[in-house]
Amino acid sequence: MTAATTPTGGWPVAIAGLGARLPDRVVTNDDLAEVLDTSDEWIRTRTGIRERHVAAPEEATSDLATAAARDALRDAGLAATDLAAVIVATTSPDHQVAATAPLVASALGVTAPAFDLNAACSGFVYALRVASGMVATGDGAVLVIGAETLTRIADPEDRSTAVLFGDGAGAVVLVPDDDARLGPFSLGADGEGASMLWTPSGGTRRPFDAEVLADRSHYLSMRGGDVYRNAVVRMADSAREVLAQAGLEVADVDLLVGHQANVRILDAVAARLGLPTELSHISVDRHGNTSAASIPLALADARAQGKLRDGATVLLAAFGAGLTWGACLLTWKDR
Ligand code: UT7
């Protein structure tokens, strides 16, 4: 298991602003049942998902990311020129080359350093870890965005994946703050499990060609049951680890904001931790699985529902392709 990488109490870093962008178009389970051999009942009982937002044809990941970023900057009362860096966590970038973050920074009107981070559904927690270190060591304010247009990389003809995913973006602005804490973090990865959830072709291992197009292996493929079992164990274990590092108990957690892939996974993680399910925020029912965007979108959703009170101890936990996983704690501060 990975050693602790942050001070026991985490970094003196606060979320100064939180923003979100969900595409306007909502696709319900019944809408999907019109084009796929599936049903609202199957999707709801297996995943908890009722509907998801789907990007318009002209919208790509950077558009969603930019809108969420503007929202977060407005919330923070900061200008884009105040940013020391822009990090976009995504596994569905606009292009294979170049990265999405520079497009976002440019749309915001700045030339601050900007880079993508790909840890799939764990990407936002990974990016918080990178950004918190930058903020705490003197860089200044860092914008962290989780943004995805997953419906573009899932096979619309494969019912086992097409029903799961949604599009969207969430963003936070991190600033130095001696009265706040972000962390500790526990992150991990296991590339041996990569084929459980990946796009088999279209990269340098097997470049895109007519054969790939015919066998549809440029789309996401997932062994759902294996991913499910790993997700429950890894999310619960890394959550326990950050609590132990921080010297806290499960009873000290005010809200769990887990990666929103499946309500059953989130319930199983809460049960393993001994955390009441009411303290686990659920937005997957309305968002579907938005990978790196799911946690910041869930945070924004939790705030809109009045669940983020000043001083609250919030536990984040994620699991995704790679395989990757991670958890961290944060103290919510009203500003
Ligand atoms: O974000 C990264 C992390 N991702 C996840 O955490 C996803 C983890 N996995 C899961 O959430 C679940 O494994 C799924 C929701 C993907 C699948 O649920 P499951 O209970 O594991 O179902 P299953 O894959 O075992 O499939 C059960 C049956 C199969 O039929 P047979 O073989 O039993 O006849 C599937 O063909 O359900 C069938 N099925 C469907 N039926 C109707 C699969 N997809 C669908 C569908 N509609 N959309």
Side-chain angles (χ1 to χ4, degrees), residues 1 121-122 186 188 190 193 196-197 222-240 256-273 289 294-295 316-327:
M1 190 45 101
C121 304
S122 313
S186 171
D190 178 9
M196 274 183 217
L197 173 52
M222 175 166 75
R223 300 204 301 273
D226 290 340
V227 173
Y228 187 109
R229 281 183 287 279
N230 275 277
V232 172
V233 172
R234 294 298 193 185
M235 283 167 72
D237 283 357
S238 42
R240 270 202 211 98
L256 167 65
V257 179
H259 167 52
Q260 305 284 312
N262 186 325
V263 168
R264 288 159 59 214
I265 292 177
L266 290 165
D267 286 353
V269 169
R272 265 180 111 86
L273 290 173
N289 180 347
S294 92
I295 288 180
L316 309 184
F319 179 86
L323 304 168
T324 58
W325 57 89

Side-chain angles (χ1 to χ4, degrees), residues 47-238:
T47 71
I49 298 168
R50 293 171 183 276
E51 59 189 36
R52 73 286 293 143
H53 292 251
V54 174
E58 69 278 8
E59 263 176 329
T61 298
S62 67
D63 302 312
L64 303 176
T66 302
R70 289 206 172 101
D71 198 26
L73 284 165
R74 203 166 29 243
D75 189 43
L78 291 175
T81 47
D82 295 321
L83 294 173
V86 176
I87 305 176
V88 175
T90 186
T91 195
S92 51
D94 286 23
H95 306 277
Q96 277 218 333
V97 180
T100 301
L103 298 173
V104 174
S106 186
L108 296 173
V110 292
T111 54
F115 59 95
D116 289 2
L117 187 156
N118 182 354
C121 304
S122 313
F124 185 75
V125 176
Y126 266 64
L128 283 184
R129 170 66 187 87
V130 172
S132 59
M134 292 172 77
V135 174
T137 52
D139 279 28
V142 175
L143 176 63
V144 178
I145 309 165
E148 303 280 9
T149 319
L150 284 181
T151 60
R152 298 270 157 75
I153 63 169
D155 186 346
E157 294 179 12
D158 177 3
R159 69 175 183 175
S160 72
T161 51
V163 303
L164 303 176
F165 300 110
D167 303 331
V172 293
V173 181
L174 300 185
V175 296
D177 185 335
D178 285 337
D179 297 330
R181 280 288 173 271
L182 179 53
F185 287 81
S186 171
L187 306 177
D190 178 9
E192 285 191 7
S195 65
M196 274 183 217
L197 173 52
W198 67 359
T199 54
S201 305
T204 55
R205 178 68 62 195
R206 187 178 172 211
F208 191 82
D209 61 13
E211 237 173 70
V212 170
L213 182 65
D215 70 21
R216 306 179 79 81
S217 60
H218 55 302
Y219 284 124
L220 271 179
S221 106
M222 175 166 75
R223 300 204 301 273
D226 290 340
V227 173
Y228 187 109
R229 281 183 287 279
N230 275 277
V232 172
V233 172
R234 294 298 193 185
M235 283 167 72
D237 283 357
S238 42

